[in-house]
Amino acid sequence: MESYREDTMFRGDPEAVIRARDESDLVEAVRYCFAEKLPMTFCGSRTSMTGASIPLEGVLISTER
């Protein structure tokens, strides 16, 4: 989980990381976060230098797979 907390410019603190394997994992993750009222942040290959894929809170949903 540590590698999902930062990029070259920014450090965040997600409560959890979900590494979705397929579309059904994504649907389940979004439904869970919606039901629990948890903020969601999506990330792909995490190559940005803007901190856009580094959440300060909530759940990070990785689509890199």
Side-chain angles (χ1 to χ4, degrees), residues 1-28:
M1 186 164 146
E2 191 62 32
S3 67
Y4 291 94
R5 290 185 179 183
E6 61 187 2
D7 66 9
T8 58
M9 304 289 286
F10 190 78
R11 182 163 173 81
D13 193 23
E15 297 167 35
V17 174
I18 297 173
R19 294 175 57 194
R21 294 171 295 202
D22 54 29
E23 185 178 341
S24 66
D25 282 353
L26 286 172
V27 169
E28 186 177 341

Side-chain angles (χ1 to χ4, degrees), residues 4-63:
Y4 291 94
R5 290 185 179 183
E6 61 187 2
D7 66 9
T8 58
M9 304 289 286
F10 190 78
R11 182 163 173 81
D13 193 23
E15 297 167 35
V17 174
I18 297 173
R19 294 175 57 194
R21 294 171 295 202
D22 54 29
E23 185 178 341
S24 66
D25 282 353
L26 286 172
V27 169
E28 186 177 341
V30 170
R31 285 184 177 157
Y32 174 79
C33 290
F34 184 77
E36 298 296 321
K37 295 182 173 58
L38 293 170
M40 294 174 273
T41 301
F42 290 87
C43 74
S45 60
R46 299 180 288 130
T47 58
S48 74
M49 294 179 60
T50 64
S53 63
I54 308 296
L56 294 175
E57 62 181 344
V59 176
L60 176 67
I61 301 173
S62 171
T63 61

